[in-house]
């Protein structure tokens, strides 16, 4: 048999792949409660981001499917590769724009589903930012504030119901009142006594 | 800068405490992002006249604002509890105690850990801060048992834990660090059978029968009474049978008891692993594979345990001479001293810089030399000891070397291996058996030791004891 010029290369690659010295380092054994692997958060983001964007765009007429698909692909890639609260906030804003569609529709209860998915996306992104793919997170830690989240979502649903009831009526000066409320909220919320940290990665 | 008369640098005082008195708790960027997104969507909904757009940002805005109202004040405390004293291979463990005291104020609900250890992968964990309760019902804080996968012996670095608490994903604490102490891992001992002993035994007491007459249990012969024989040694039955008139008394003569002296010589001038690439001093030895020094420690501890259990005297010499030699002695306390000395044997300089002089040995001692046989020094030592009449058993402690891809290293190892085989052949030819302690050949070591013990105990006709 005539040796091929690729034979030494193939042999080297085979030996390289079979080299036991290149196996990963041993792990530290830690006894914890049941955990989830860190990569599951990114896998969840892989499904959550398109779901949020497609849900937001589903009820808006006039958006080409290719545009939604492109935005979803870009946003998913960005959030999965760089899962930070900022990127998650950006994706939520994009979802809101898709939901809006620059149209003047009446109140759409579909917004509640979008709000639920947006909240879920923010939570999952926070976990993905704090647990690397090879890390672990206890399931009990994921569920530490489920009561608080349920309360927030219930309050959101209540607000949505009130907004839907009020959507058919016209109140004089409501826009000015709402604008003042937004400005007041900004002042209250951002008047912190300390500088905010980065995305949690020291 | 100074705040309230205290010098503050990077938000901390000279004592390391947070200058703002809030134990390092800061709002996270998740809080800022939630607020910014919520306000943006509220403004958009206002401009567009659509309340449903604002609804999308409401959950994040509500959750962030709610969480921001309860600023945590209690710091997360962590301590690493390690068993005191020494340990054995595979038993490098500790318990991380995480203490959050919610009674004194809001504190962390999730704890982020990064656990690092030399030679191990970093471990990232996110744990709930909820304390565990013991069977009595009292809160004991969160306890996280940790264990390393290291099989190495000697002084070993243990855990470094970086940790940070967070609360409601809105507050995060400044990271803190706890470190474990350097632990001394003592070598374990494998059970061995009989071991070869020196040709001449010393002393008047001990577990062995010497070739000399004296007090003992092993019968040598029946002999007529001579001046100097003790009266209690008279065998009256034999005397009555052989000399009914009692004109000659017969005594039972026995071999005296004695003890053997062995000296363990550990060649700790170098420490090599199964990967040739690390032999040049570059790269890191894996902690889940024993090195030549680990094998030497294990083999020496096994031999020392077997000899001390048999009642013999054992000494220790270190060719790197970092520690004073341990003179031969017997007993469990001396065995602990030996094992401790073995664990502390460590190369100081490259082996080539050492000028090895044969250690001084007690007369009639057998030498157990633990070496990798990678240079000619062990061969010279064995020849010197043979000249002085000491029997030598060489234990080869080189690990099973793995195949390497680099051509020049493969050639270098081939040459080194051939030279090693020449040395082993020369040692065998000069009457110094070589017993391998690496890999699967360790199981055969017990059989080899037994065979050598039988060979040395065989009575050679005509030999004067």
């Amino acid at each position: 048999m005539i040796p091929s010029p690729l034979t030494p290369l193939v042999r080297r690659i085979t030996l390289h792949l079979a080299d036991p010295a290149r196996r990963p380092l041993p792990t530290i054994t830690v006894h914890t409660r049941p955990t989830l692997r860190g990569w599951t958060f990114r896998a969840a983001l892989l499904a959550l981001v398109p779901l949020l964007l497609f849900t937001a765009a589903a009820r808006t007429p006039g958006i080409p499917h290719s545009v939604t698909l492109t935005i979803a692909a870009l946003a998913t890639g960005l959030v999965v590769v760089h899962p930070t609260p900022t990127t998650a906030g950006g994706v939520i804003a994009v979802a809101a724009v898709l939901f809006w569609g620059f149209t003047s529709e009446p109140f759409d209860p579909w917004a509640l589903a979008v709000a639920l998915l947006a909240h879920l996306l923010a939570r999952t992104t926070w976990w993905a930012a704090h647990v690397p793919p090879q890390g672990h997170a206890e399931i009990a830690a994921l569920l530490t504030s489920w009561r608080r989240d349920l309360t927030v979502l219930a309050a959101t649903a209540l607000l949505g119901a009130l907004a839907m009831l009020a959507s058919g009526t016209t109140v004089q000066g409501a826009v000015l009142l709402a604008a003042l409320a937004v400005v007041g909220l900004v002042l209250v919320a951002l008047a912190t006594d300390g500088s905010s940290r980065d995305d949690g990665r020291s | 800068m100074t705040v309230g008369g205290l010098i503050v640098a990077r938000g901390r005082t000279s004592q390391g405490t947070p200058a703002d008195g809030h134990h390092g708790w800061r709002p996270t960027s998740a809080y800022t992002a939630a607020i910014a997104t919520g306000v943006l969507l509220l403004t958009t909904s206002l401009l567009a006249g659509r309340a449903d757009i604002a609804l999308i940002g409401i959950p994040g805005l509500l959750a962030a604002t709610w969480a921001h109202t309860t600023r945590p004040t209690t710091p997360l405390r962590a301590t690493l509890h390690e068993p005191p004293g020494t340990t054995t291979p595979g038993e490098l463990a500790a318990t991380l105690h995480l203490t959050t005291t919610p009674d004194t104020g809001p504190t962390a609900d999730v704890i982020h850990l990064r656990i690092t250890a030399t030679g191990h992968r970093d471990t990232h964990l996110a744990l709930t801060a909820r304390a565990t309760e013991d069977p009595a019902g009292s809160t004991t804080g969160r306890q996280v048992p940790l264990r390393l996968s290291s099989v190495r012996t000697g002084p070993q670095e243990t855990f470094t834990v970086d940790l940070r608490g967070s609360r409601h994903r809105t507050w995060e604490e400044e990271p803190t660090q706890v470190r474990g102490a350097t632990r001394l891992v003592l070598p374990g001992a494998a059970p061995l059978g009989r071991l070869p002993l020196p040709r001449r035994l010393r002393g008047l007491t001990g577990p062995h029968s010497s070739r000399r007459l004296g007090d003992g249990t092993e019968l040598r012969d029946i002999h007529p009474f001579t001046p100097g024989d003790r009266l209690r040694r008279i065998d009256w039955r034999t005397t009555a049978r052989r000399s009914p008139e009692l004109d000659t008394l017969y005594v039972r003569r026995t071999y005296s008891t004695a003890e053997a002296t062995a000296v363990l010589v550990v060649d700790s001038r170098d420490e090599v692993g199964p990967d040739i690439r690390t032999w040049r001093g570059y790269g890191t030895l894996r902690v889940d594979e024993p090195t030549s020094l680990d094998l030497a420690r294990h083999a020496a501890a096994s031999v020392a345990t077997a000899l001390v259990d048999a009642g013999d005297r054992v000494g220790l010499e270190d060719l790197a001479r970092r520690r004073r030699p341990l003179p031969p002695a017997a007993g469990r306390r001396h065995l602990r001293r030996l094992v401790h000395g073995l664990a502390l044997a460590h190369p100081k300089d490259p082996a080539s810089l050492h000028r090895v002089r044969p250690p001084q040995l007690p007369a009639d001692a057998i030498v157990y030399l633990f070496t990798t046989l990678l240079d000619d020094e062990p061969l010279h030592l064995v020849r010197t000891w043979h000249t002085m009449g000491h029997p030598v058993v060489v234990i080869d402690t080189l690990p099973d070397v793995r195949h390497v891809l680099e051509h020049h290293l493969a050639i270098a190892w081939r040459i080194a291996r051939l030279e090693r085989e020449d040395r082993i052949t020369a040692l065998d030819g000069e009457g110094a058996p070589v017993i391998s302690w690496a890999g699967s050949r360790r199981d055969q070591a017990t059989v080899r030791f037994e065979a050598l013990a039988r060979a040395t105990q065989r009575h050679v006709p005509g030999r004067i004891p």
Side-chain angles (χ1 to χ4, degrees):
Chain A
M1 179 181 155
I2 300 170
S4 160
L6 290 177
T7 305
L9 182 65
V10 171
R11 183 176 174 276
R12 283 191 71 81
I13 291 173
T14 309
L15 283 173
H16 180 81
L17 292 176
D19 188 1
R22 299 189 190 281
R23 66 183 187 274
L25 292 172
T27 56
I28 301 169
T29 307
V30 185
H31 295 280
T32 61
R33 295 165 187 166
T35 59
L36 278 182
R37 295 296 297 266
W39 58 262
T40 53
F41 298 113
R42 293 177 190 247
L45 286 177
L46 210 59
L48 261 178
V49 177
L51 184 63
L52 170 67
L53 294 175
F54 283 120
T55 306
R59 301 284 284 266
T60 308
I63 300 180
H65 188 66
S66 59
V67 173
T68 312
L69 203 62
T70 307
I71 291 173
L74 289 175
T76 305
L78 179 66
V79 174
V80 169
V81 172
H82 196 58
T84 64
T86 312
T87 52
V91 170
I92 292 170
V94 170
V97 170
L98 287 175
F99 182 74
W100 175 21
F102 301 101
T103 60
S104 56
E105 298 287 325
F107 186 89
D108 188 355
W110 192 247
L112 282 173
V114 180
L116 172 66
L117 287 174
H119 190 61
L120 207 56
L121 173 68
R123 289 285 174 266
T124 312
T125 309
W126 189 87
W127 280 107
H130 285 75
V131 184
Q134 71 276 13
H136 292 78
E138 278 188 341
I139 295 172
L142 302 178
L143 302 175
T144 45
S145 54
W146 64 273
R147 291 188 186 89
R148 183 175 283 257
D149 285 335
L150 273 186
T151 309
V152 164
L153 290 174
T156 306
L158 185 65
L159 282 174
L162 289 175
M164 192 165 64
L165 288 175
S167 62
T169 62
T170 303
V171 181
Q172 294 292 329
V175 174
L176 180 64
L177 196 64
L180 287 173
V182 170
V183 172
L185 189 64
V186 169
L187 290 175
V188 169
L190 297 184
T192 59
D193 54 350
S195 59
S196 60
R197 294 170 54 80
D198 196 0
D199 57 356
R201 299 173 181 179
S202 60
Chain B
M1 62 179 287
T2 56
V3 175
L6 293 173
I7 298 173
V8 176
R10 294 182 180 177
R12 288 185 175 271
T13 65
S14 56
Q15 282 81 30
T17 55
D20 57 4
H22 288 296
H23 301 286
W25 287 97
R26 297 278 189 279
T28 62
S29 59
Y31 168 75
T32 311
I35 295 293
T37 308
V39 169
L40 176 71
L41 296 186
L42 279 175
T43 310
T44 308
S45 70
L46 200 63
L47 295 176
R50 286 188 56 173
D52 46 2
I53 295 176
L55 210 58
I56 297 173
I58 287 294
L61 195 62
L62 273 181
T65 310
W66 187 8
H68 194 253
T69 55
T70 54
R71 178 173 194 144
T73 53
T74 308
L76 171 68
R77 300 189 187 283
T79 49
L80 202 58
H81 291 243
E82 292 177 301
T86 57
T87 184
T88 51
E91 297 296 329
L92 266 176
T95 304
L96 181 67
H97 286 238
L98 301 166
T99 311
T100 53
T101 49
D103 302 337
T104 58
T107 185
D109 56 0
V110 175
I111 302 168
H112 304 271
L113 301 176
R114 183 179 65 189
I115 307 166
T116 54
T118 307
H120 290 74
R121 268 182 279 173
D122 290 0
T123 301
H124 296 262
L125 281 172
L127 309 177
T128 175
R130 199 172 61 235
T132 52
E133 289 188 355
D134 60 12
S138 61
T139 302
T140 57
R142 186 75 202 267
Q143 298 183 6
V144 186
L146 314 172
R147 182 180 294 274
L148 293 182
S149 306
S150 173
V151 297
R152 305 284 299 281
T153 55
Q156 298 291 319
E157 297 287 334
T158 57
F159 307 93
T160 301
V161 183
D162 297 293
L163 69 158
R164 174 172 58 194
S166 70
R167 181 177 174 81
H168 298 152
R169 292 169 289 271
T170 299
W171 296 98
E172 276 184 350
E173 199 181 10
E174 288 285 336
T176 54
Q177 189 179 74
V178 288
R179 280 177 173 275
T182 301
R183 305 279 306 278
L184 184 64
V185 182
L186 300 180
L192 295 176
R194 287 195 304 165
L195 295 174
L197 297 175
R199 298 186 190 98
R200 289 171 185 266
L201 301 175
R202 287 270 167 176
L204 297 174
T205 59
H208 309 288
S209 294
S210 74
R211 306 283 171 81
R212 288 178 285 107
L213 290 174
D215 287 337
T217 55
E218 189 174 339
L219 178 67
R220 183 176 188 272
D221 60 2
I222 303 293
H223 194 270
F225 185 88
T226 56
D229 286 340
R230 296 187 177 183
L231 294 178
R232 67 182 177 88
R233 290 207 165 269
I234 296 174
D235 189 341
W236 292 108
R237 288 186 181 179
T238 307
T239 301
R241 191 166 56 247
R242 293 190 181 180
S243 175
E245 302 300 326
L246 294 179
D247 49 353
T248 304
L249 297 175
Y250 288 90
V251 294
R252 293 168 64 87
R253 298 197 302 182
T254 56
Y255 290 112
S256 72
T257 55
E259 60 189 358
T261 302
V263 176
L264 313 179
V265 182
V266 179
D267 185 0
S268 62
R269 294 172 300 146
D270 54 4
E271 182 173 20
V272 294
D275 190 357
I276 300 176
R277 282 169 286 216
T278 60
W279 287 16
R280 293 172 292 178
Y282 306 112
T284 308
L285 294 167
R286 290 184 66 93
V287 295
D288 56 349
E289 294 173 339
T291 63
S292 62
L293 197 52
D294 293 323
L295 292 177
R297 288 179 183 134
H298 182 236
S302 304
V303 170
T305 304
L307 289 171
V308 169
D309 285 347
D312 295 320
R313 296 161 61 84
V314 186
L316 175 65
E317 286 276 357
D318 183 0
L319 286 189
R321 290 193 183 278
R322 290 194 68 195
R323 296 177 57 80
R324 294 171 60 189
L326 285 174
R332 306 302 301 178
R333 182 180 295 179
H334 182 68
L335 177 62
R336 286 199 294 272
R337 204 177 298 139
L338 284 171
V339 174
H340 202 272
L342 286 170
L344 291 176
H346 201 268
K348 186 179 181 184
D349 303 314
S352 57
L353 298 182
H354 283 277
R355 193 179 65 175
V356 179
R357 292 177 179 169
Q360 292 185 344
L361 303 177
D364 299 330
I366 186 171
V367 180
Y368 287 90
L369 174 62
F370 304 88
T371 179
T372 55
L373 290 165
L374 285 173
D375 60 7
D376 286 331
E377 293 293 346
L379 199 59
H380 297 156
L381 289 175
V382 170
R383 283 173 181 158
T384 306
W385 287 326
H386 267 178
T387 307
M388 297 163 68
H390 295 287
V392 182
V393 178
V394 180
I395 290 94
D396 177 14
T397 58
L398 186 72
D400 291 332
V401 175
R402 284 197 296 264
H403 181 72
V404 287
L405 293 174
E406 293 82 355
H407 188 59
H408 64 288
L409 287 178
I411 291 177
W413 166 236
R414 192 176 171 190
I415 294 170
R417 194 185 65 219
L418 290 173
E419 288 177 348
R420 234 175 67 86
E421 287 171 358
D422 286 346
R423 287 184 203 110
I424 292 171
T425 307
L427 285 171
D428 272 331
E430 294 175 17
V434 179
I435 298 174
S436 179
W437 194 262
S440 59
R441 286 166 290 171
R442 186 186 306 173
D443 300 333
Q444 303 166 8
T446 308
V447 181
R448 291 288 311 276
F449 277 128
E450 179 71 27
L452 287 172
R454 288 189 180 194
T456 54
Q457 284 188 352
R458 190 178 303 146
H459 292 275
V460 179
R463 193 176 75 184
I464 300 171

